Amino acid sequence: MATVERALVRDVAAIAAAAGVVGVSFGAIAVAAGVSVWLASLMSVLVFAGGSQFMVVGVVAGGGSPVAAVLAGLLLNARHLPFGLVVSDVLGRTWPLRLLGSHLMVDESVAFALAQKDPARRRAAYWLCGGTLFVAWNVGVLVGALAGRALGDPDALGLDAAFPAAMFALLLPSLRASPEEKAPAEGGQDATGAAAPRSGNAAAMARRVALVGALIALVTTPVLPAGLPVLLALLGVAVALR
């Protein structure tokens, strides 16, 4: 941890605070949906994937089957397969350490690791971010679950809207063009004078995929059992394959 810089610790603390707040909302929503405090906390410790946890609780609370909820969560976490390939060098050499490191693999820990220049800093950033988020997330879930149980009727406070709002907040960063995508488009040409890539191609494609998926879910929700529209919405990915 000698290679951990103060700026990295500051950035990790900020993202962990945000994860803790989202964890509080998940704990409250899970209890409101009928999940017990201990089950919400156990799920968070064993799964440790905010998007998938929101998805599972949302599908089950909407009347969907546990199978559909688990399938939706697995599909959402399929992105961890390429993540594992690019950060395999930071997970350690022994199997217990690699299993623990794999459990701490979330978007943020991978992003912080890839932002570092040398292997030692990549490793330090990955474990610092993953471990800090794990603690912040699970403490937040426990606090939210206990608070949700104390409230009695969280729906009266509008917490039923927190699930779609939290999912949208998790999705929003991928729908916005990054500064690296915007910069070349504003100049029209890259450093070599060649034609620059179109502005935010990746973000624009993500928006089209999200829009098509939302339309599929919206159209099929009135006629299909809860949970299936979420799975069918994944057909929106076909837009990116054209």
Side-chain angles (χ1 to χ4, degrees), residues 200-221:
N201 277 344
M205 180 63 72
R207 287 194 292 270
R208 286 196 289 272
V209 170
L211 180 60
V212 172
L215 287 175
I216 293 174
L218 188 64
V219 171
T220 57
T221 293

Side-chain angles (χ1 to χ4, degrees), residues 136-150:
W137 172 256
N138 283 287
V139 170
V141 170
L142 179 59
V143 171
L146 293 173
R149 187 175 63 177

Side-chain angles (χ1 to χ4, degrees), residues 3-58:
T3 57
V4 175
E5 298 175 349
R6 181 175 299 179
L8 176 61
V9 174
R10 179 199 60 201
D11 293 343
V12 168
I15 198 72
V21 172
V22 179
V24 170
S25 67
F26 171 76
I29 292 170
V31 170
V35 179
S36 63
V37 173
W38 74 267
L39 185 57
S41 298
L42 182 64
M43 179 195 299
S44 296
V45 171
L46 296 180
V47 178
F48 185 44
S52 295
Q53 291 180 230
F54 274 112
M55 179 73 73
V56 168
V57 171

Side-chain angles (χ1 to χ4, degrees), residues 57-152:
V57 171
V59 170
V60 173
S65 70
V67 173
V70 171
L71 285 176
L74 288 175
L75 287 173
L76 190 60
N77 267 2
R79 68 188 187 283
H80 285 188
L81 291 174
F83 283 179
L85 294 175
V86 297
V87 297
S88 61
D89 60 319
V90 307
L91 299 182
R93 296 181 179 179
T94 64
W95 275 107
L97 198 58
R98 294 183 69 82
L99 288 174
L100 178 60
S102 299
H103 191 55
L104 298 179
M105 187 184 299
V106 293
D107 297 359
E108 293 85 353
S109 60
V110 173
F112 271 97
L114 295 181
Q116 308 306 312
K117 297 180 180 179
D118 59 76
R121 293 187 178 186
R122 280 162 53 91
R123 191 177 306 110
Y126 180 87
W127 285 94
L128 175 65
C129 183
T132 305
L133 260 64
F134 182 83
V135 174
W137 172 256
N138 283 287
V139 170
V141 170
L142 179 59
V143 171
L146 293 173
R149 187 175 63 177
L151 288 173

